[in-house]
């Protein structure tokens, strides 16, 4: 079957048939020649685009290009906390907004891989009841009822009830609990778009990104460290301090894609391995790349 000139495969556009293969322009500015069998899987000349996501109510994103300097990294933020009218969103709506925003980012920047900071799973860990162990859910339910009764008779406050329930093993940090939902929506957007993804824990990427041991100074947090590093590498950040804080971490998350934890999904693992080993660039070279 012939492939039509002008057809797109990821960042490649087919320009001409050459023998039994096709010469393509890649959006990175290079050309590559691939066979008809290769084209549906390669998606680029071998260049790699990585999208990094620092998910929260205010999400940071960054797009990194393998063939450009760090100064060419694009980054920004999007919020899932409120709608266009400035009204607060419910949990479920935040997830939907996150999925939609990540889907748009993938469509716009066409990443080969998406890196997401791993949300904490502490809630699930506490909620499990082992054999012979305490059933945390039952304890929580009991304490919840007890607090409600005490409150009814003027013997407690909502704050006290929350404190008691958090001692019982639940977490009342609802922002933290929402992270898993926001990440799930982002992952769904990756799967729908055919973009492989991986996750990386905050501690892991901090030690990878700041190899010189840079740590937050007096009155600083990790976001301040990320801003400082971006300024050192001349990476353009958004203009406001708040947006800078959310975007800067995404820049360094995107740089850690090689060390990600991958989901157990075969096509994603295959694609990630091909990206890591630069298999597509090697293939293009074998088949006659004009670099
Ligand atoms: Zn390319």
């Amino acid at each position: 079957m012939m492939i039509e000139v002008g057809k797109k495969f990821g960042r490649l556009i087919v320009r001409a048939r050459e023998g039994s293969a096709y010469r393509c322009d890649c959006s990175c500015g290079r050309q590559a020649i691939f066979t008809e069998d290769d084209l549906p899987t390669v998606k680029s000349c071998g260049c790699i685009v990585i999208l990094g996501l620092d998910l929260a109510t205010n999400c940071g994103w960054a797009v990194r290009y393998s063939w450009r300097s760090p100064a060419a990294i694009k980054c920004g933020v999007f919020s899932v906390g409120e709608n266009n009218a400035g009204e607060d969103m419910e949990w479920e709506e935040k997830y939907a907004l996150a999925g939609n925003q990540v889907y748009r980012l993938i469509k716009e920047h066409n990443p080969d891989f998406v890196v997401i900071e791993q949300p904490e799973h502490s809630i699930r860990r506490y909620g499990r009841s082992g054999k012979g162990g305490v059933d945390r859910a039952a304890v929580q339910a009991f304490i919840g009822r007890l607090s409600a009764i005490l409150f009814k008779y003027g013997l407690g406050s909502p704050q006290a009830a929350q404190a008691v329930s958090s001692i019982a093993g639940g977490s009342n940090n609802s922002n933290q609990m929402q992270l898993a939902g926001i990440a799930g929506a982002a992952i769904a957007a990756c799967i729908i778009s055919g973009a492989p993804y991986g996750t990386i824990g905050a501690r892991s990427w901090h030690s990878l990104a700041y190899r010189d041991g840079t740590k937050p100074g007096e009155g600083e947090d990790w976001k301040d460290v990320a801003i400082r590093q971006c300024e050192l590498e001349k990476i353009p950040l958004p203009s406001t301090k708040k947006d800078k804080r959310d975007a800067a971490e995404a820049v360094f998350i995107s740089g850690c894609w090689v060390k990600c934890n991958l989901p157990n999904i075969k096509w994603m693992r295959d694609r990630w391995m091909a990206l890591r080993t630069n298999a597509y660039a090697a293939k293009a070279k074998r088949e006659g790349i004009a670099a």
Side-chain angles (χ1 to χ4, degrees), residues 57-86:
T57 301
N58 293 303
C59 302
W61 61 268
V63 181
R64 182 181 287 265
Y65 307 90
S66 66
W67 66 101
R68 293 184 184 155
S69 79
I73 289 172
K74 286 182 194 151
C75 63
V77 295
F78 61 87
S79 169
V80 298
E82 48 186 48
N83 65 11
N84 292 338

Side-chain angles (χ1 to χ4, degrees), residues 23 25 31 45 51 53 57 107 113 122 126-127 149 175 183 195 200 207 229 233 247-248 250 265 281 291:
R23 175 172 292 273
D25 280 343
Q31 285 194 324
C45 73
L51 170 64
L53 295 172
T57 301
K107 285 291 142 218
F113 195 80
S122 53
Y126 285 120
I149 292 164
N175 281 339
I200 188 155
S207 65
Q229 292 289 118
E233 297 188 35
I265 299 174

Side-chain angles (χ1 to χ4, degrees), residues 74-101:
K74 286 182 194 151
C75 63
V77 295
F78 61 87
S79 169
V80 298
E82 48 186 48
N83 65 11
N84 292 338
E87 297 157 341
D88 286 346
M89 296 283 93
E90 293 293 341
W91 290 30
E92 299 82 355
E93 293 159 349
K94 286 187 185 179
Y95 305 163
L97 288 180
N100 185 43
Q101 292 284 2

Side-chain angles (χ1 to χ4, degrees), residues 11-12 25-32 43-49 66-67 289:
R11 292 193 297 283
L12 297 169
D25 280 343
C26 184
S27 69
C28 72
R30 289 179 288 198
Q31 285 194 324
K43 295 184 168 62
S44 82
C45 73
C47 60
I48 301 171
V49 177
S66 66
W67 66 101
I289 189 175

